[in-house]
Amino acid sequence: MNARSISRNALIFAAILLAQIAAAQTLPSAPAKTPSSQPSAGAYDWFAQAGWVCGVGASTSSIDTKPTAQCGGILSGPFFDFEAGAMGPLANGSAASGYLSTNLWIPLIPWQHLANPHGVPFAVGGYTHLFGTGNALDYGLAFAHPIDASHSIQFEVRDYWTFSDPHEHNIVFRVVWLTGLSD
């Protein structure tokens, strides 16, 4: 992979990411909750959340290291999420791989401070099936920042560690846009 194809892929990824963010901003938002004196935790004030996730990073193994990109959709509830999307290229030869993930997330601050208007750090971890590579343990850190009463933006770094031989690490810096879902 040469520098020209990497920069072309980066431009395509950036255009897709900007188009998805612009489209998300034009969608009708979830109904506003009644105002309270408590600060909002954004999408995390709702029982369930849905959104988009995109990121860039590197896929590395003893064979090769390649730049990688990831995009998908996410459905989340209290302390867990389900995610589906595509990631690629991968270091062990796959040009792209669909994936399914299930994860747990745990706030790194006391529960009563989750409505912090400045954001909340999380630890995340779970299982991912990469269709082009195999099974993976994914883990990382996230920082969720409330935008308004029903939206949050989350910044993450995750490592998808595959169990295939040779082992592969897919380290991705991700941006997640979440919307609270009404009951």
Side-chain angles (χ1 to χ4, degrees):
M1 183 174 281
N2 61 28
R4 174 175 260 163
S5 65
I6 292 172
S7 63
R8 179 182 51 124
N9 290 340
L11 287 173
I12 291 169
F13 172 73
I16 291 170
L17 180 62
L18 289 174
Q20 288 181 347
I21 290 172
Q25 291 175 351
T26 60
L27 295 174
S29 63
K33 289 196 169 209
T34 56
S36 71
S37 60
Q38 298 292 326
S40 172
Y44 287 97
D45 271 345
W46 299 81
F47 179 77
Q49 307 85 37
W52 295 102
V53 56
C54 282
V56 295
S59 179
T60 184
S61 74
S62 60
I63 295 174
D64 199 2
T65 297
K66 296 179 180 177
T68 191
Q70 173 191 36
C71 281
I74 191 167
L75 181 62
S76 183
F79 303 109
F80 71 92
D81 66 54
F82 297 107
E83 185 177 334
M87 180 187 302
L90 303 176
N92 288 342
S94 178
S97 175
Y99 70 89
L100 291 174
S101 288
T102 183
N103 299 291
L104 296 176
W105 52 269
I106 300 169
L108 297 177
I109 63 173
W111 188 252
Q112 61 269 27
H113 298 294
L114 285 184
N116 181 344
H118 302 293
V120 176
F122 293 100
V124 293
Y127 166 79
T128 297
H129 181 75
L130 294 159
F131 292 100
T133 304
N135 301 313
L137 170 69
D138 69 88
Y139 55 91
L141 295 172
F143 182 79
H145 180 73
I147 301 297
D148 58 30
S150 60
H151 295 94
S152 292
I153 190 166
Q154 190 165 300
F155 303 96
E156 300 183 357
V157 61
R158 283 206 195 178
D159 182 6
Y160 295 83
W161 177 38
T162 64
F163 309 131
S164 60
D165 190 25
H167 293 295
E168 179 178 271
H169 289 276
N170 299 294
I171 301 167
V172 183
F173 297 95
R174 303 165 20 124
V175 177
V176 183
W177 179 263
L178 291 170
T179 300
L181 300 176
S182 59
D183 303 337

